[in-house]
Every structure is written in structure tokens, then in C-alpha cells.
Amino acid sequence: METYDYIIVGAGSGGCALANRLSADPAIKVCLIEAGKKDNALMVRMPAGVGSLIKQANDHNWGFYTEAQKHMNGRKLYWPRGKGWGGSSSINGMVYIRGHAGDYDQWGQMGLKGWSYADVLPYFKRSEGYEGGNNAFHGGAGPLRVSESPMSSPIYRAFIQAGEQAGYKVTDDFNGAQQEGFGRYQRTIHKGERWSASFGYLRPIEGVRPNLTVISTGLVTRVLIENGKATGVEVVEGKGALTQQIHADKEVVICAGAVQSPQILMLSGIGNPEHLDRFGIKATVKSPGVGQNLQDHLDVTVIHEMTQPVSAYSQQKGMKKLGVGLRYLYNQTGAGADNFLQAGAFLNSREGLSMPDIQLHLVNAIMMDHGNHDPQKDGFTVHACQLRPESRGTICLASADPFAHPAIDPNYLATEEDRRVMREAVKMVRDICGQSALNALRGNEIMPGASVSTDDDIDSFIRRMGETIYHPVGTVAMGTSESSPVDAELRVRGVDGLRVVDASVMPTLIGGNTNAPTIMIAEKAADMMLGKRALAREESLTPA
């Protein structure tokens, strides 16, 4: 049995950051175990490759499906999640968003000491390598490279201007003093390459630190627990292969994400005893909250034709696609270096809100069904998602087989408020798209289309066409109550030497994309695990 100080399960956003920070001390032996492969594929490195990675299961994408959704016409929705080095940061849209300061202050108000905005801002800054350098809100020297979108198509500036014409604010930094409004996105793209957690944290130390061992294509089937302490894990490389046990002297850290972290805990006997008993698993730790509290951003799209050949379609159609690929291979420039997602907005669905509850992503292409339908014309897509849904779902076991996907039930649109916000989002986007700033570019509305006009029509459209925008959290939520699966230091209650460090620990879904917050959580967890004093709070900054 191999022995390490720390075993990290999952080389996603949290696992890569944690492996880097823990192994910085040469006296600490770290083993990082990932079920997928190394991120060598060109489509991972090339930002424009996101479309091929996300639309179906592959070596870098688990390709999950939800259970039939009661409030969405019984549909089973497709959930892409990252597999392999970098996890979902290797297949995501590369948008760098932290969420609103109020999200973290809410965590602090829940009694989670050390998780308010003033506490977490220093960790965001430590992780970030912002191209503009250090300032009040950004870090310039961190491993995660962040760049400003170049606004390389006229659609982006026209969209921001249309938002202003519709009466909304404009902001110059979604991660700065004011989140609300229209503006350009910051992206995890550096010199034309996707800058995933793997590129930022893992690849620079690969083969350099002898105290770090990385095991790829190794599925962790359960955590080994002896006398109330996590002592290691069981790993198998492929169904039917021999099981290997790896020992941890100090801690086992689960970083498998909001879907698979609760699955691994339940397979290890940590969960609701009644649920585990159904699959012949003995509950060693009674923790009914494991797999509960699932939250995700439901998304709906408004799509228009474009009257000028300036979208991704015209840049890549026909033989141009070959040229795009060759240019990218030669110098990492051109359309291959673009995610075609450079502008967006954070808006309020009604007056009286303290934080925006709607996020818009503008895609310079026609994008339907996660990119499974190749566009045949120029167009643009506005994604609208509800940032703080009331609906709560679950991750449950579907089988005791660790190779089987768990049962995912996000329970979308379970409340009237969720339905109202999504309905209002469609109306707001239509109003924005109708502004004169877009007249020179806007063609016919493809989706929802002219036949969708009343509230009932819009509600029906959302039920038929709504999809995830890839931000599940909360299934091993931290909290102050003994019923919460993990405490404020991310330690699993009822088991010594076991933590969870990924998006599953978020008690509430933050208002934005979840990659940057997950990396922040790992940065903070590393200091906790190493017994370091937390970075000094930055209390003078109070973003709107």
C-alpha cells in the first residue's frame, strides 16, 4: 500500500489548486488522483474548441443527464461536466467571474466565519494573474491567468450600447467595484490558450516536484475509514480492473465536484442511512445532508439572425475552418483563440433587489442545444440565467456501482419566483435586442420566435428549451449546524482526516460563473490544512 501525507481525489479546479499549494513544501507527500486523462488534446488548449468539448460525452466530459424534470415537461437535461486534468475548467466557457460581494457576506451572516467578502477577496487576488496587474480588486501574480476580452466583433459593443439604451447601467469590471450592468467579460485565456486550473496550477509543477504523484485514469471507488478516521482510498483503473489501496497519513480531500463528491461520500458510507441501505451500503457516518441542497443556474436563450458576416459562422465556414486551425497551430491567434463570448450583463429582474438576479452571456454565434446543431448562418445568442434560484434538488445514488452515474435531480422551476425571474429574463432580453444600437446587425428572431408572445407562451418555451449553464453547487454544503455535511473549515463531520474542497461545499449558489470561486475555496482550504494564518481581510472595499 502506497502512503502519502495527503490524497486529493479529483484534478479539477479545486484539486489542481490544492495539489500545487500543498506540495510547495517538499517535506509533504501529495497524491492527486484523477479519473480522466491528461489534458493534451488540442481542443482543450484552443479556446474555440469549447464547442466540441461541451456538446457530448468524450474523454474530457462525463456527459451526465438529469432525472426527468417535473416542472420542465418531464425532460432529462444534459449536464456536461469536466473529466481529466483541469476538470470543468478544461471544457468551460472561460468566463472569469467571482460573484457578487453580497454572496460571500451572506455566507458570513450564516455564521461561516472567514467566508465573508472581506475574507475571500485576498484569496481571489492570490489566485489571479490579471493582465492589468495588481489593483484594489485584482491580483497580478497568481497562477490563474485572466485577460480582458478584446471586443473583437462589433456585436459586443453594440450589445453593451443596447443595454444602455434600454436603461441599464454599464460597468467596466464585473469583478470590481460594481457588478451590475453591461460590460466586457474577463476570460481565463492567455496568449491564445485556455488557461485552465491545470495550466495554471498543475502543469507548471508536473515532474518538477518529486513529492507530488499524479495518477490519471484512476477512479476512486470509496474512502477507507478506520476507527472514525479517513485512512486512504480505493482506486480502480477501469471497470473490472484490480482495486488498489492508497494510504493517507494526514488527510483525504475530495475534490470531485458537486455531482461526484457526494457520490463518493455515499459509496463510502457517509450519507442518509435509509438511502444507503437501499444499495446495500452500511452507513458508517449518518449525514443526511450529503447530496441535498443541489442548486444550479437554469438558462434560456434568445437567438437572432445577423445581417452582417461578423459571427463565428462566417469566420469558420467551409474551407476557412482549415485555415483557422492552421493559424492557431502556427501562432495561437485568430478565431481559434476566441471563445466568442466577450460581453454580458448582470441585471435586476425587479426593483428592491440588493444584488442582480439575472446574468446574460452574449455568444457571437447561433448556439442551440449545447452546440449540437452547427449553425448554417450568421447570428448571435443571448443566454439568460437566474442567479439565485429558490429551487433545491438532490444528487442520489442510482447504483452501488462506482462506475454508474448518480441520479441528478436539480428540481428546476419548482417555485413561482423561479418561474417569474426566467419569464422576466426573456422579456428583458427581447427589449434589449430591440434597441437601435443593434439595428445594423440584428436579423429575425429565431428563438423563441414570433409565435411566443404571452406569459403562458414564454413559460411553455422555458419548460421546453431551458438548459443548465453548467454551475451546480451545494451538495456537500458547509454550515454551522451539526446537520451540515462539512464545517466552515470544510471538514466532513463525523470523520477525522476527511475534507471536501470544491463547488459542492458552497451553501448557496453565487451570482455568476463558478470556476473562479472554486479555485478561491481551494486557495483558502490550503492555508487551513497547512495551519497557516488566513490572509488579512480587506475591509475597506465595498462593491455595489
Side-chain angles (χ1 to χ4, degrees), residues 228-432:
K229 184 182 186 303
T231 59
V233 297
E234 284 190 347
V235 186
V236 61
E237 295 189 34
K239 199 173 181 69
L242 293 176
T243 299
Q244 176 186 4
Q245 291 192 348
I246 302 176
H247 183 74
D249 281 339
K250 292 183 177 178
E251 292 191 38
V252 174
V253 191
I254 309 298
C255 302
V259 175
Q260 288 154 300
S261 283
Q263 181 187 24
I264 292 170
L265 292 177
M266 288 185 278
L267 290 171
S268 307
I270 303 168
N272 186 326
E274 293 181 5
H275 177 62
L276 299 184
D277 186 60
R278 276 182 249 155
F279 300 97
I281 299 171
K282 182 182 178 182
T284 55
V285 177
K286 182 179 179 180
S287 186
V290 172
Q292 302 298 302
N293 193 47
L294 174 61
Q295 300 156 61
D296 184 36
H297 288 147
L298 183 66
D299 177 77
V300 68
T301 55
V302 176
I303 305 176
H304 282 81
E305 295 178 352
M306 196 182 292
T307 57
Q308 296 185 31
V310 293
S311 78
Y313 169 74
S314 281
Q315 292 183 48
Q316 303 184 68
K317 68 178 180 180
M319 291 302 294
K320 287 184 179 180
K321 184 172 288 188
L322 177 61
V324 167
L326 291 174
R327 179 177 176 181
Y328 186 82
L329 287 171
Y330 178 69
N331 61 10
Q332 291 77 57
T333 62
D338 192 4
N339 65 346
F340 298 99
L341 204 170
Q342 299 185 26
F346 289 85
L347 309 176
N348 298 320
S349 69
R350 58 178 172 83
E351 293 184 3
L353 296 176
S354 61
M355 298 179 281
D357 63 343
I358 292 172
Q359 181 180 3
L360 306 183
H361 294 82
L362 173 64
V363 179
N364 186 24
I366 293 172
M367 184 178 179
M368 298 180 180
D369 187 25
H370 307 279
N372 272 299
H373 295 86
D374 289 334
Q376 301 301 313
K377 61 181 73 174
D378 284 291
F380 65 90
T381 302
V382 182
H383 287 265
C385 71
Q386 180 191 13
L387 291 175
R388 293 177 184 82
E390 294 180 348
S391 301
R392 295 292 185 271
T394 59
I395 299 288
C396 296
L397 294 179
S399 167
D401 180 358
F403 287 89
H405 290 180
I408 302 169
D409 183 8
N411 194 29
Y412 292 123
L413 298 178
T415 75
E416 176 52 40
E417 175 64 6
D418 289 359
R419 296 188 286 271
R420 182 199 68 79
V421 175
M422 292 300 293
R423 184 188 315 127
E424 192 63 25
V426 173
K427 294 179 181 180
M428 291 164 66
V429 171
R430 280 179 147 176
D431 176 57
I432 293 158

Side-chain angles (χ1 to χ4, degrees), residues 24 67 83 91 106 125 146 154 242 343 357 395 401 446 504 543:
E67 299 297 290
K83 179 182 182 182
I91 69 169
Q106 180 184 5
K125 292 169 70 173
V146 176
L242 293 176
D357 63 343
I395 299 288
D401 180 358
I446 299 171
S504 70

Side-chain angles (χ1 to χ4, degrees), residues 153-159 304-311 364 378-380 433 435-444:
S153 170
I155 188 64
Y156 300 120
R157 295 188 189 280
F159 181 68
H304 282 81
E305 295 178 352
M306 196 182 292
T307 57
Q308 296 185 31
V310 293
S311 78
N364 186 24
D378 284 291
F380 65 90
C433 289
Q435 300 298 317
S436 62
L438 285 164
N439 284 354
L441 295 166
R442 180 191 60 247
N444 294 327

Side-chain angles (χ1 to χ4, degrees), residues 52-65 78-81 83 91 372 405:
S52 64
L53 293 170
I54 212 163
K55 64 184 180 182
Q56 59 191 3
N58 53 58
D59 284 348
H60 305 282
N61 182 354
W62 287 96
F64 295 118
Y65 280 86
Y78 171 59
W79 267 32
R81 302 307 301 157
K83 179 182 182 182
I91 69 169
N372 272 299
H405 290 180

